[in-house]
Amino acid sequence: MNEDLSLLPPEASEIARGVDLLLLFLIGTGVLFVIGFFAIVLLASLRRAPEARGPWVLLDRPLRWITALWIVAPSTIVLTAFSLSVRLQAAHAVAPPASIRVRGVGRQWLWFFRHEQGSTEVGDLHVPVEVPVVLHLTSEDVLHTFAVPAFRLRQDVLPGRETEVWFRATRTGTFRFFCGEYCGPGHSTMTGTIHVLDPIAFERWVNGDAADLPPEEAGKMLFTAFRCDSCHKAGGGGTGPALEGAFGKDVELANGSKVLFDEAYVRESIFEPNAKIVKGFQPSMSSFKGQLNENQISQIAAYLKSLPGTAAPEAK
């Protein structure tokens, strides 16, 4: 069947087929009950008073078997659906031992992931095919929901609490994921892509063998992905200072001292944003410690250094 014409998303995980069968069972039995209900209403409407009975009368007295069927059939359907649901839940309640683990953080309005090998990514998630993947999910601000339609996966992500969910992708390709819980005006942009790779391609990716972007381009992607530009707006006007032309110059702090805007200052500002507050601004930035590695810090610094009007660092 052409997937573009399918009523359901493609089945791309181990649990997808079971979820679809349960859904189709519930829909099918629901349709049958609706048809049966209206059939009974129609038949009952054809009953006539005893003195006006004619040859077309279909029912002339209550039928006990209809009452019995109306009790037995719903009970059977409910118990069957419950049994299928329990079996499906039990089969996927605990992840297999040989699983890879990824930590995910939801934040207005992006998803950040950190692999156990140390690789990090924002808005994308790379996983191997036919290998169980355990996600340890949490939120930094409000309630989010991690939803992957093709995997039939949907998990609420609560602030201050780590939730574990796992899946096994059964086909290579790219699949969209979303935030399934309204979380603010940027909710519709809180999306991303899961890249399911064959094991060899995944090993190459996770070990960094793929061709890298120039540091300033990679830094720009990180700067945009982490929404740094929403506070450090070009030309000023944001909750944080504008950064064009700042690299390599002295920055005046709230306590009256000055500090050189170099890579060390960038690193400290990202990991400990309240350590040195720029004059005229409030300590409103949250820490990104544990979400960016040293290589990514260098890439962001390279991007800031490449911004128009940036002066070269002064020699000490």
Side-chain angles (χ1 to χ4, degrees):
M1 180 183 292
N2 189 336
E3 292 179 351
D4 294 335
L5 301 179
S6 176
L7 295 177
L8 297 174
E11 297 175 356
S13 74
E14 185 180 74
I15 198 175
R17 176 56 60 87
V19 173
D20 286 356
L21 291 177
L22 178 58
L23 175 63
L24 294 175
F25 172 77
L26 293 174
I27 293 175
T29 53
V31 170
L32 290 177
F33 257 83
V34 170
I35 294 174
F37 174 78
F38 280 100
I40 293 174
V41 171
L42 177 61
L43 293 173
S45 68
L46 297 178
R47 295 186 61 186
R48 307 176 68 187
E51 64 275 8
R53 288 177 180 172
W56 56 272
V57 173
L58 300 179
L59 295 175
D60 63 353
R61 69 175 183 273
L63 300 178
R64 295 181 178 178
W65 64 268
I66 294 180
T67 304
L69 180 62
W70 196 252
I71 295 174
V72 173
S75 301
T76 302
I77 292 173
V78 169
L79 290 175
T80 302
F82 175 76
S83 175
L84 292 174
S85 300
V86 170
R87 290 181 60 186
L88 196 61
Q89 178 69 22
H92 295 83
V94 181
S99 303
I100 65 173
R101 297 184 177 270
V102 180
R103 297 196 173 275
V105 178
R107 175 193 302 136
Q108 294 173 319
W109 291 276
L110 59 84
W111 294 99
F112 168 84
F113 300 98
R114 186 179 191 87
H115 294 259
E116 56 188 350
Q117 297 91 339
S119 301
T120 60
E121 43 188 336
V122 180
D124 290 284
L125 176 60
H126 291 74
V127 299
V129 68
E130 296 294 351
V131 175
V133 178
V134 180
L135 296 178
H136 299 270
L137 300 172
T138 189
S139 169
E140 284 193 350
D141 37 48
V142 299
L143 173 64
H144 300 288
T145 297
F146 185 74
V148 191
F151 293 174
R152 307 304 188 268
L153 176 66
R154 179 183 172 91
Q155 179 62 55
D156 287 341
V157 182
L158 306 177
R161 176 177 174 181
E162 185 175 283
T163 305
E164 182 178 305
V165 65
W166 75 278
F167 63 87
R168 191 201 312 263
T170 56
R171 53 189 293 186
T172 58
T174 57
F175 307 96
R176 299 290 291 170
F177 62 84
F178 308 86
C179 177
E181 188 76 28
Y182 181 73
C183 55
H187 166 69
S188 62
T189 65
M190 195 170 175
T191 66
T193 304
I194 295 182
H195 305 266
V196 182
L197 311 174
D198 64 77
I200 296 178
F202 176 75
E203 285 299 321
R204 289 182 56 202
W205 178 86
V206 82
N207 290 323
D209 293 338
D212 293 327
L213 293 171
E216 59 273 12
E217 291 187 23
K220 182 178 180 180
M221 291 180 61
L222 290 168
F223 194 82
T224 303
F226 277 89
R227 303 295 194 271
C228 303
D229 51 357
S230 65
C231 295
H232 299 281
K233 296 181 178 180
T239 57
L243 303 178
E244 295 87 350
F247 201 96
K249 297 181 180 179
D250 287 333
V251 177
E252 187 174 359
L253 304 179
N255 60 9
S257 61
K258 292 185 179 181
V259 62
L260 179 65
F261 194 119
D262 57 5
E263 184 170 333
Y265 174 72
V266 172
R267 182 183 187 281
E268 183 181 30
S269 298
I270 290 175
F271 289 164
E272 300 179 22
N274 296 327
K276 293 182 174 67
I277 305 299
V278 177
K279 183 178 180 180
F281 294 90
Q282 299 297 320
S284 59
M285 179 175 166
S286 58
S287 174
F288 289 85
K289 194 170 186 177
Q291 300 181 39
L292 292 166
N293 56 36
E294 294 295 335
N295 184 50
Q296 291 170 321
I297 296 295
S298 297
Q299 291 171 341
I300 293 176
Y303 166 64
L304 297 179
K305 186 177 180 179
S306 70
L307 291 177
T310 300
E314 297 177 0
K316 294 186 177 180

